[in-house]
PDB file of all heavy atoms in Angstrom:
ATOM      1  N   ALA Y   1     -26.136  -3.129  23.350  1.00  0.00           N
ATOM      2  CA  ALA Y   1     -24.686  -3.188  23.174  1.00  0.00           C
ATOM      3  C   ALA Y   1     -24.214  -4.558  22.733  1.00  0.00           C
ATOM      4  O   ALA Y   1     -23.141  -4.689  22.131  1.00  0.00           O
ATOM      5  CB  ALA Y   1     -23.996  -2.787  24.480  1.00  0.00           C
ATOM      6  N   GLN Y   2     -24.987  -5.609  22.999  1.00  0.00           N
ATOM      7  CA  GLN Y   2     -24.635  -6.962  22.594  1.00  0.00           C
ATOM      8  C   GLN Y   2     -25.157  -7.313  21.205  1.00  0.00           C
ATOM      9  O   GLN Y   2     -24.967  -8.430  20.719  1.00  0.00           O
ATOM     10  CB  GLN Y   2     -25.165  -7.988  23.600  1.00  0.00           C
ATOM     11  CG  GLN Y   2     -24.434  -8.001  24.952  1.00  0.00           C
ATOM     12  CD  GLN Y   2     -24.742  -6.766  25.775  1.00  0.00           C
ATOM     13  OE1 GLN Y   2     -25.888  -6.341  25.880  1.00  0.00           O
ATOM     14  NE2 GLN Y   2     -23.703  -6.190  26.365  1.00  0.00           N
ATOM     15  N   GLY Y   3     -25.838  -6.381  20.561  1.00  0.00           N
ATOM     16  CA  GLY Y   3     -26.357  -6.633  19.220  1.00  0.00           C
ATOM     17  C   GLY Y   3     -27.710  -7.297  19.192  1.00  0.00           C
ATOM     18  O   GLY Y   3     -28.161  -7.740  18.125  1.00  0.00           O
ATOM     19  N   ASN Y   4     -28.383  -7.372  20.341  1.00  0.00           N
ATOM     20  CA  ASN Y   4     -29.714  -7.984  20.392  1.00  0.00           C
ATOM     21  C   ASN Y   4     -30.790  -6.935  20.117  1.00  0.00           C
ATOM     22  O   ASN Y   4     -30.671  -5.786  20.553  1.00  0.00           O
ATOM     23  CB  ASN Y   4     -29.956  -8.614  21.772  1.00  0.00           C
ATOM     24  CG  ASN Y   4     -28.915  -9.664  22.108  1.00  0.00           C
ATOM     25  OD1 ASN Y   4     -28.589 -10.511  21.289  1.00  0.00           O
ATOM     26  ND2 ASN Y   4     -28.383  -9.605  23.320  1.00  0.00           N
ATOM     27  N   GLU Y   5     -31.834  -7.348  19.403  1.00  0.00           N
ATOM     28  CA  GLU Y   5     -32.929  -6.425  19.115  1.00  0.00           C
ATOM     29  C   GLU Y   5     -33.724  -6.126  20.380  1.00  0.00           C
ATOM     30  O   GLU Y   5     -33.955  -6.998  21.212  1.00  0.00           O
ATOM     31  CB  GLU Y   5     -33.854  -7.011  18.043  1.00  0.00           C
ATOM     32  CG  GLU Y   5     -33.270  -6.963  16.647  1.00  0.00           C
ATOM     33  CD  GLU Y   5     -34.324  -7.150  15.575  1.00  0.00           C
ATOM     34  OE1 GLU Y   5     -35.495  -6.783  15.822  1.00  0.00           O
ATOM     35  OE2 GLU Y   5     -33.979  -7.661  14.496  1.00  0.00           O
ATOM     36  N   ILE Y   6     -34.128  -4.876  20.530  1.00  0.00           N
ATOM     37  CA  ILE Y   6     -34.902  -4.434  21.681  1.00  0.00           C
ATOM     38  C   ILE Y   6     -36.374  -4.442  21.300  1.00  0.00           C
ATOM     39  O   ILE Y   6     -36.742  -4.163  20.160  1.00  0.00           O
ATOM     40  CB  ILE Y   6     -34.463  -3.039  22.126  1.00  0.00           C
ATOM     41  CG1 ILE Y   6     -32.966  -3.079  22.500  1.00  0.00           C
ATOM     42  CG2 ILE Y   6     -35.280  -2.519  23.287  1.00  0.00           C
ATOM     43  CD1 ILE Y   6     -32.379  -1.744  22.832  1.00  0.00           C
ATOM     44  N   GLY Y   7     -37.239  -4.786  22.268  1.00  0.00           N
ATOM     45  CA  GLY Y   7     -38.672  -4.963  22.021  1.00  0.00           C
ATOM     46  C   GLY Y   7     -39.386  -3.746  21.477  1.00  0.00           C
ATOM     47  O   GLY Y   7     -38.817  -2.665  21.322  1.00  0.00           O
ATOM     48  N   SER Y   8     -40.681  -3.922  21.224  1.00  0.00           N
ATOM     49  CA  SER Y   8     -41.482  -2.917  20.533  1.00  0.00           C
ATOM     50  C   SER Y   8     -41.901  -1.740  21.420  1.00  0.00           C
ATOM     51  O   SER Y   8     -42.610  -0.853  20.958  1.00  0.00           O
ATOM     52  CB  SER Y   8     -42.739  -3.581  19.974  1.00  0.00           C
ATOM     53  OG  SER Y   8     -43.488  -4.190  21.020  1.00  0.00           O
ATOM     54  N   ALA Y   9     -41.478  -1.729  22.685  1.00  0.00           N
ATOM     55  CA  ALA Y   9     -41.854  -0.624  23.564  1.00  0.00           C
ATOM     56  C   ALA Y   9     -41.201   0.689  23.140  1.00  0.00           C
ATOM     57  O   ALA Y   9     -41.651   1.761  23.517  1.00  0.00           O
ATOM     58  CB  ALA Y   9     -41.483  -0.949  25.013  1.00  0.00           C
ATOM     59  N   LEU Y  10     -40.132   0.601  22.350  1.00  0.00           N
ATOM     60  CA  LEU Y  10     -39.453   1.789  21.864  1.00  0.00           C
ATOM     61  C   LEU Y  10     -39.851   2.069  20.416  1.00  0.00           C
ATOM     62  O   LEU Y  10     -40.111   1.154  19.646  1.00  0.00           O
ATOM     63  CB  LEU Y  10     -37.938   1.612  21.945  1.00  0.00           C
ATOM     64  CG  LEU Y  10     -37.330   1.523  23.347  1.00  0.00           C
ATOM     65  CD1 LEU Y  10     -35.853   1.183  23.256  1.00  0.00           C
ATOM     66  CD2 LEU Y  10     -37.529   2.816  24.110  1.00  0.00           C
ATOM     67  N   THR Y  11     -39.880   3.341  20.060  1.00  0.00           N
ATOM     68  CA  THR Y  11     -40.182   3.729  18.683  1.00  0.00           C
ATOM     69  C   THR Y  11     -39.061   4.607  18.157  1.00  0.00           C
ATOM     70  O   THR Y  11     -38.424   5.345  18.916  1.00  0.00           O
ATOM     71  CB  THR Y  11     -41.512   4.490  18.588  1.00  0.00           C
ATOM     72  OG1 THR Y  11     -41.445   5.668  19.415  1.00  0.00           O
ATOM     73  CG2 THR Y  11     -42.664   3.611  19.047  1.00  0.00           C
ATOM     74  N   ALA Y  12     -38.808   4.509  16.854  1.00  0.00           N
ATOM     75  CA  ALA Y  12     -37.777   5.320  16.204  1.00  0.00           C
ATOM     76  C   ALA Y  12     -38.427   6.168  15.131  1.00  0.00           C
ATOM     77  O   ALA Y  12     -39.340   5.733  14.432  1.00  0.00           O
ATOM     78  CB  ALA Y  12     -36.704   4.430  15.596  1.00  0.00           C
ATOM     79  N   SER Y  13     -37.952   7.391  15.017  1.00  0.00           N
ATOM     80  CA  SER Y  13     -38.485   8.306  14.011  1.00  0.00           C
ATOM     81  C   SER Y  13     -37.325   8.913  13.212  1.00  0.00           C
ATOM     82  O   SER Y  13     -36.441   9.546  13.786  1.00  0.00           O
ATOM     83  CB  SER Y  13     -39.291   9.417  14.675  1.00  0.00           C
ATOM     84  OG  SER Y  13     -39.792  10.312  13.720  1.00  0.00           O
ATOM     85  N   PRO Y  14     -37.311   8.636  11.890  1.00  0.00           N
ATOM     86  CA  PRO Y  14     -38.253   7.804  11.140  1.00  0.00           C
ATOM     87  C   PRO Y  14     -37.931   6.324  11.314  1.00  0.00           C
ATOM     88  O   PRO Y  14     -36.866   5.979  11.818  1.00  0.00           O
ATOM     89  CB  PRO Y  14     -38.017   8.256   9.695  1.00  0.00           C
ATOM     90  CG  PRO Y  14     -36.566   8.636   9.678  1.00  0.00           C
ATOM     91  CD  PRO Y  14     -36.299   9.269  11.007  1.00  0.00           C
ATOM     92  N   SER Y  15     -38.851   5.479  10.876  1.00  0.00           N
ATOM     93  CA  SER Y  15     -38.651   4.041  11.005  1.00  0.00           C
ATOM     94  C   SER Y  15     -38.032   3.422   9.760  1.00  0.00           C
ATOM     95  O   SER Y  15     -37.627   2.270   9.782  1.00  0.00           O
ATOM     96  CB  SER Y  15     -39.986   3.353  11.311  1.00  0.00           C
ATOM     97  OG  SER Y  15     -40.927   3.616  10.276  1.00  0.00           O
ATOM     98  N   PHE Y  16     -37.971   4.197   8.668  1.00  0.00           N
ATOM     99  CA  PHE Y  16     -37.331   3.742   7.441  1.00  0.00           C
ATOM    100  C   PHE Y  16     -36.191   4.692   7.091  1.00  0.00           C
ATOM    101  O   PHE Y  16     -36.296   5.904   7.291  1.00  0.00           O
ATOM    102  CB  PHE Y  16     -38.331   3.686   6.276  1.00  0.00           C
ATOM    103  CG  PHE Y  16     -39.062   2.375   6.183  1.00  0.00           C
ATOM    104  CD1 PHE Y  16     -40.079   2.068   7.079  1.00  0.00           C
ATOM    105  CD2 PHE Y  16     -38.729   1.444   5.222  1.00  0.00           C
ATOM    106  CE1 PHE Y  16     -40.757   0.867   7.002  1.00  0.00           C
ATOM    107  CE2 PHE Y  16     -39.392   0.234   5.135  1.00  0.00           C
ATOM    108  CZ  PHE Y  16     -40.416  -0.064   6.023  1.00  0.00           C
ATOM    109  N   ILE Y  17     -35.092   4.127   6.560  1.00  0.00           N
ATOM    110  CA  ILE Y  17     -33.902   4.904   6.218  1.00  0.00           C
ATOM    111  C   ILE Y  17     -33.662   4.806   4.713  1.00  0.00           C
ATOM    112  O   ILE Y  17     -33.736   3.723   4.127  1.00  0.00           O
ATOM    113  CB  ILE Y  17     -32.666   4.384   6.969  1.00  0.00           C
ATOM    114  CG1 ILE Y  17     -32.925   4.394   8.482  1.00  0.00           C
ATOM    115  CG2 ILE Y  17     -31.439   5.225   6.639  1.00  0.00           C
ATOM    116  CD1 ILE Y  17     -33.215   5.741   9.063  1.00  0.00           C
ATOM    117  N   MET Y  18     -33.366   5.955   4.113  1.00  0.00           N
ATOM    118  CA  MET Y  18     -33.047   5.999   2.687  1.00  0.00           C
ATOM    119  C   MET Y  18     -31.530   6.025   2.528  1.00  0.00           C
ATOM    120  O   MET Y  18     -30.844   6.804   3.199  1.00  0.00           O
ATOM    121  CB  MET Y  18     -33.658   7.250   2.043  1.00  0.00           C
ATOM    122  CG  MET Y  18     -33.520   7.277   0.537  1.00  0.00           C
ATOM    123  SD  MET Y  18     -34.534   5.991  -0.238  1.00  0.00           S
ATOM    124  CE  MET Y  18     -33.963   6.141  -1.937  1.00  0.00           C
ATOM    125  N   MET Y  19     -30.996   5.169   1.637  1.00  0.00           N
ATOM    126  CA  MET Y  19     -29.553   5.058   1.466  1.00  0.00           C
ATOM    127  C   MET Y  19     -29.176   5.036  -0.001  1.00  0.00           C
ATOM    128  O   MET Y  19     -29.942   4.581  -0.842  1.00  0.00           O
ATOM    129  CB  MET Y  19     -29.030   3.782   2.136  1.00  0.00           C
ATOM    130  CG  MET Y  19     -29.016   3.818   3.640  1.00  0.00           C
ATOM    131  SD  MET Y  19     -29.127   2.156   4.313  1.00  0.00           S
ATOM    132  CE  MET Y  19     -30.783   1.698   3.823  1.00  0.00           C
ATOM    133  N   SER Y  20     -27.949   5.526  -0.259  1.00  0.00           N
ATOM    134  CA  SER Y  20     -27.326   5.391  -1.569  1.00  0.00           C
ATOM    135  C   SER Y  20     -26.138   4.457  -1.407  1.00  0.00           C
ATOM    136  O   SER Y  20     -25.273   4.682  -0.547  1.00  0.00           O
ATOM    137  CB  SER Y  20     -26.864   6.749  -2.105  1.00  0.00           C
ATOM    138  OG  SER Y  20     -27.972   7.595  -2.329  1.00  0.00           O
ATOM    139  N   ILE Y  21     -26.092   3.413  -2.223  1.00  0.00           N
ATOM    140  CA  ILE Y  21     -25.065   2.384  -2.099  1.00  0.00           C
ATOM    141  C   ILE Y  21     -24.202   2.372  -3.350  1.00  0.00           C
ATOM    142  O   ILE Y  21     -24.727   2.293  -4.472  1.00  0.00           O
ATOM    143  CB  ILE Y  21     -25.695   0.986  -1.880  1.00  0.00           C
ATOM    144  CG1 ILE Y  21     -26.575   0.993  -0.622  1.00  0.00           C
ATOM    145  CG2 ILE Y  21     -24.629  -0.080  -1.757  1.00  0.00           C
ATOM    146  CD1 ILE Y  21     -28.027   1.081  -0.889  1.00  0.00           C
ATOM    147  N   ASP Y  22     -22.880   2.462  -3.161  1.00  0.00           N
ATOM    148  CA  ASP Y  22     -21.931   2.334  -4.259  1.00  0.00           C
ATOM    149  C   ASP Y  22     -21.468   0.888  -4.366  1.00  0.00           C
ATOM    150  O   ASP Y  22     -21.179   0.241  -3.328  1.00  0.00           O
ATOM    151  CB  ASP Y  22     -20.707   3.235  -4.039  1.00  0.00           C
ATOM    152  CG  ASP Y  22     -20.920   4.621  -4.613  1.00  0.00           C
ATOM    153  OD1 ASP Y  22     -21.941   4.828  -5.297  1.00  0.00           O
ATOM    154  OD2 ASP Y  22     -20.073   5.501  -4.368  1.00  0.00           O
ATOM    155  N   VAL Y  23     -21.381   0.388  -5.580  1.00  0.00           N
ATOM    156  CA  VAL Y  23     -20.873  -0.957  -5.825  1.00  0.00           C
ATOM    157  C   VAL Y  23     -19.843  -0.861  -6.949  1.00  0.00           C
ATOM    158  O   VAL Y  23     -20.168  -0.424  -8.061  1.00  0.00           O
ATOM    159  CB  VAL Y  23     -21.989  -1.940  -6.220  1.00  0.00           C
ATOM    160  CG1 VAL Y  23     -21.423  -3.346  -6.394  1.00  0.00           C
ATOM    161  CG2 VAL Y  23     -23.103  -1.948  -5.179  1.00  0.00           C
ATOM    162  N   TYR Y  24     -18.589  -1.257  -6.648  1.00  0.00           N
ATOM    163  CA  TYR Y  24     -17.518  -1.202  -7.640  1.00  0.00           C
ATOM    164  C   TYR Y  24     -16.647  -2.461  -7.529  1.00  0.00           C
ATOM    165  O   TYR Y  24     -16.519  -3.053  -6.440  1.00  0.00           O
ATOM    166  CB  TYR Y  24     -16.629   0.023  -7.424  1.00  0.00           C
ATOM    167  CG  TYR Y  24     -17.247   1.321  -7.862  1.00  0.00           C
ATOM    168  CD1 TYR Y  24     -17.920   2.143  -6.960  1.00  0.00           C
ATOM    169  CD2 TYR Y  24     -17.163   1.732  -9.191  1.00  0.00           C
ATOM    170  CE1 TYR Y  24     -18.487   3.347  -7.370  1.00  0.00           C
ATOM    171  CE2 TYR Y  24     -17.731   2.930  -9.606  1.00  0.00           C
ATOM    172  CZ  TYR Y  24     -18.389   3.736  -8.698  1.00  0.00           C
ATOM    173  OH  TYR Y  24     -18.959   4.911  -9.106  1.00  0.00           O
ATOM    174  N   PRO Y  25     -15.994  -2.843  -8.624  1.00  0.00           N
ATOM    175  CA  PRO Y  25     -15.003  -3.926  -8.543  1.00  0.00           C
ATOM    176  C   PRO Y  25     -13.836  -3.502  -7.666  1.00  0.00           C
ATOM    177  O   PRO Y  25     -13.518  -2.316  -7.564  1.00  0.00           O
ATOM    178  CB  PRO Y  25     -14.572  -4.119 -10.008  1.00  0.00           C
ATOM    179  CG  PRO Y  25     -15.638  -3.479 -10.828  1.00  0.00           C
ATOM    180  CD  PRO Y  25     -16.199  -2.366 -10.002  1.00  0.00           C
ATOM    181  N   LYS Y  26     -13.174  -4.475  -7.044  1.00  0.00           N
ATOM    182  CA  LYS Y  26     -12.013  -4.159  -6.223  1.00  0.00           C
ATOM    183  C   LYS Y  26     -10.870  -5.120  -6.538  1.00  0.00           C
ATOM    184  O   LYS Y  26     -11.081  -6.193  -7.110  1.00  0.00           O
ATOM    185  CB  LYS Y  26     -12.360  -4.200  -4.732  1.00  0.00           C
ATOM    186  CG  LYS Y  26     -12.664  -5.572  -4.170  1.00  0.00           C
ATOM    187  CD  LYS Y  26     -12.986  -5.477  -2.682  1.00  0.00           C
ATOM    188  CE  LYS Y  26     -13.276  -6.856  -2.088  1.00  0.00           C
ATOM    189  NZ  LYS Y  26     -13.602  -6.780  -0.656  1.00  0.00           N
ATOM    190  N   ALA Y  27      -9.663  -4.706  -6.157  1.00  0.00           N
ATOM    191  CA  ALA Y  27      -8.477  -5.513  -6.436  1.00  0.00           C
ATOM    192  C   ALA Y  27      -7.445  -5.295  -5.342  1.00  0.00           C
ATOM    193  O   ALA Y  27      -7.437  -4.251  -4.676  1.00  0.00           O
ATOM    194  CB  ALA Y  27      -7.892  -5.151  -7.800  1.00  0.00           C
ATOM    195  N   GLN Y  28      -6.567  -6.303  -5.168  1.00  0.00           N
ATOM    196  CA  GLN Y  28      -5.460  -6.204  -4.228  1.00  0.00           C
ATOM    197  C   GLN Y  28      -4.197  -5.829  -4.996  1.00  0.00           C
ATOM    198  O   GLN Y  28      -3.803  -6.519  -5.934  1.00  0.00           O
ATOM    199  CB  GLN Y  28      -5.239  -7.547  -3.522  1.00  0.00           C
ATOM    200  CG  GLN Y  28      -6.338  -7.938  -2.564  1.00  0.00           C
ATOM    201  CD  GLN Y  28      -6.198  -7.258  -1.218  1.00  0.00           C
ATOM    202  OE1 GLN Y  28      -5.146  -6.741  -0.893  1.00  0.00           O
ATOM    203  NE2 GLN Y  28      -7.252  -7.260  -0.442  1.00  0.00           N
ATOM    204  N   LEU Y  29      -3.577  -4.703  -4.619  1.00  0.00           N
ATOM    205  CA  LEU Y  29      -2.358  -4.247  -5.277  1.00  0.00           C
ATOM    206  C   LEU Y  29      -1.205  -4.230  -4.286  1.00  0.00           C
ATOM    207  O   LEU Y  29      -1.368  -3.810  -3.135  1.00  0.00           O
ATOM    208  CB  LEU Y  29      -2.551  -2.845  -5.866  1.00  0.00           C
ATOM    209  CG  LEU Y  29      -3.626  -2.698  -6.950  1.00  0.00           C
ATOM    210  CD1 LEU Y  29      -3.717  -1.234  -7.379  1.00  0.00           C
ATOM    211  CD2 LEU Y  29      -3.334  -3.588  -8.139  1.00  0.00           C
ATOM    212  N   SER Y  30      -0.035  -4.702  -4.735  1.00  0.00           N
ATOM    213  CA  SER Y  30       1.143  -4.668  -3.870  1.00  0.00           C
ATOM    214  C   SER Y  30       1.731  -3.264  -3.832  1.00  0.00           C
ATOM    215  O   SER Y  30       1.554  -2.467  -4.759  1.00  0.00           O
ATOM    216  CB  SER Y  30       2.190  -5.672  -4.374  1.00  0.00           C
ATOM    217  OG  SER Y  30       2.577  -5.351  -5.697  1.00  0.00           O
ATOM    218  N   VAL Y  31       2.432  -2.968  -2.747  1.00  0.00           N
ATOM    219  CA  VAL Y  31       3.078  -1.661  -2.574  1.00  0.00           C
ATOM    220  C   VAL Y  31       4.553  -1.800  -2.918  1.00  0.00           C
ATOM    221  O   VAL Y  31       5.259  -2.654  -2.363  1.00  0.00           O
ATOM    222  CB  VAL Y  31       2.905  -1.143  -1.133  1.00  0.00           C
ATOM    223  CG1 VAL Y  31       3.568   0.214  -0.980  1.00  0.00           C
ATOM    224  CG2 VAL Y  31       1.436  -1.064  -0.770  1.00  0.00           C
ATOM    225  N   ASN Y  32       5.025  -0.975  -3.849  1.00  0.00           N
ATOM    226  CA  ASN Y  32       6.417  -1.025  -4.283  1.00  0.00           C
ATOM    227  C   ASN Y  32       7.336  -0.634  -3.125  1.00  0.00           C
ATOM    228  O   ASN Y  32       7.223   0.463  -2.570  1.00  0.00           O
ATOM    229  CB  ASN Y  32       6.615  -0.065  -5.462  1.00  0.00           C
ATOM    230  CG  ASN Y  32       8.006  -0.161  -6.070  1.00  0.00           C
ATOM    231  OD1 ASN Y  32       8.929  -0.671  -5.458  1.00  0.00           O
ATOM    232  ND2 ASN Y  32       8.153   0.353  -7.278  1.00  0.00           N
ATOM    233  N   HIS Y  33       8.278  -1.543  -2.763  1.00  0.00           N
ATOM    234  CA  HIS Y  33       9.210  -1.240  -1.677  1.00  0.00           C
ATOM    235  C   HIS Y  33      10.664  -1.331  -2.145  1.00  0.00           C
ATOM    236  O   HIS Y  33      11.569  -1.639  -1.362  1.00  0.00           O
ATOM    237  CB  HIS Y  33       8.964  -2.173  -0.489  1.00  0.00           C
ATOM    238  CG  HIS Y  33       9.101  -3.632  -0.823  1.00  0.00           C
ATOM    239  ND1 HIS Y  33       8.103  -4.345  -1.430  1.00  0.00           N
ATOM    240  CD2 HIS Y  33      10.126  -4.491  -0.643  1.00  0.00           C
ATOM    241  CE1 HIS Y  33       8.501  -5.599  -1.608  1.00  0.00           C
ATOM    242  NE2 HIS Y  33       9.733  -5.709  -1.132  1.00  0.00           N
ATOM    243  N   ASN Y  34      10.891  -1.045  -3.426  1.00  0.00           N
ATOM    244  CA  ASN Y  34      12.245  -1.002  -3.949  1.00  0.00           C
ATOM    245  C   ASN Y  34      13.042   0.097  -3.239  1.00  0.00           C
ATOM    246  O   ASN Y  34      12.562   1.218  -3.052  1.00  0.00           O
ATOM    247  CB  ASN Y  34      12.200  -0.740  -5.462  1.00  0.00           C
ATOM    248  CG  ASN Y  34      13.573  -0.782  -6.102  1.00  0.00           C
ATOM    249  OD1 ASN Y  34      14.326   0.162  -5.987  1.00  0.00           O
ATOM    250  ND2 ASN Y  34      13.878  -1.883  -6.770  1.00  0.00           N
ATOM    251  N   ILE Y  35      14.276  -0.224  -2.863  1.00  0.00           N
ATOM    252  CA  ILE Y  35      15.093   0.729  -2.103  1.00  0.00           C
ATOM    253  C   ILE Y  35      15.289   2.031  -2.868  1.00  0.00           C
ATOM    254  O   ILE Y  35      15.231   3.129  -2.304  1.00  0.00           O
ATOM    255  CB  ILE Y  35      16.455   0.106  -1.739  1.00  0.00           C
ATOM    256  CG1 ILE Y  35      16.271  -1.038  -0.738  1.00  0.00           C
ATOM    257  CG2 ILE Y  35      17.406   1.162  -1.173  1.00  0.00           C
ATOM    258  CD1 ILE Y  35      17.557  -1.743  -0.375  1.00  0.00           C
ATOM    259  N   ASP Y  36      15.498   1.932  -4.162  1.00  0.00           N
ATOM    260  CA  ASP Y  36      15.800   3.123  -4.960  1.00  0.00           C
ATOM    261  C   ASP Y  36      14.624   4.092  -5.007  1.00  0.00           C
ATOM    262  O   ASP Y  36      14.821   5.314  -5.052  1.00  0.00           O
ATOM    263  CB  ASP Y  36      16.181   2.708  -6.386  1.00  0.00           C
ATOM    264  CG  ASP Y  36      17.485   1.908  -6.426  1.00  0.00           C
ATOM    265  OD1 ASP Y  36      18.309   2.110  -5.517  1.00  0.00           O
ATOM    266  OD2 ASP Y  36      17.649   1.095  -7.347  1.00  0.00           O
ATOM    267  N   THR Y  37      13.390   3.564  -5.018  1.00  0.00           N
ATOM    268  CA  THR Y  37      12.217   4.441  -5.100  1.00  0.00           C
ATOM    269  C   THR Y  37      11.614   4.739  -3.729  1.00  0.00           C
ATOM    270  O   THR Y  37      10.844   5.692  -3.584  1.00  0.00           O
ATOM    271  CB  THR Y  37      11.143   3.799  -5.985  1.00  0.00           C
ATOM    272  OG1 THR Y  37      10.784   2.502  -5.453  1.00  0.00           O
ATOM    273  CG2 THR Y  37      11.637   3.626  -7.405  1.00  0.00           C
ATOM    274  N   ALA Y  38      11.946   3.934  -2.718  1.00  0.00           N
ATOM    275  CA  ALA Y  38      11.346   4.115  -1.396  1.00  0.00           C
ATOM    276  C   ALA Y  38      12.037   5.189  -0.578  1.00  0.00           C
ATOM    277  O   ALA Y  38      11.460   5.719   0.375  1.00  0.00           O
ATOM    278  CB  ALA Y  38      11.351   2.798  -0.627  1.00  0.00           C
ATOM    279  N   THR Y  39      13.289   5.518  -0.926  1.00  0.00           N
ATOM    280  CA  THR Y  39      14.041   6.483  -0.131  1.00  0.00           C
ATOM    281  C   THR Y  39      14.621   7.579  -1.021  1.00  0.00           C
ATOM    282  O   THR Y  39      14.793   7.409  -2.227  1.00  0.00           O
ATOM    283  CB  THR Y  39      15.196   5.796   0.627  1.00  0.00           C
ATOM    284  OG1 THR Y  39      16.092   5.204  -0.327  1.00  0.00           O
ATOM    285  CG2 THR Y  39      14.665   4.719   1.553  1.00  0.00           C
TER     286      THR Y  39
END
C-alpha cells in the first residue's frame, strides 16, 4: 500500500503484461463563458 516492492516469495501469473499505448499531441483550450451563449 505504500508503493514498496514486495520480495520474491510471491509470484504473479503472468509475469509480463502486454499493452497498447496511445500517444497524441495535446492542448489547453479555454471554455467559452459568454453570457449570451452560456444561458
Side-chain angles (χ1 to χ4, degrees):
Q2 289 71 44
N4 302 314
E5 285 197 29
I6 300 175
S8 58
L10 293 173
T11 59
S13 179
S15 59
F16 272 75
I17 304 299
M18 187 68 188
M19 288 154 293
S20 295
I21 302 102
D22 271 352
V23 183
Y24 285 95
K26 69 180 181 181
Q28 291 279 344
L29 298 178
S30 60
V31 181
N32 186 342
H33 58 280
N34 184 282
I35 293 177
D36 295 333
T37 58
T39 61

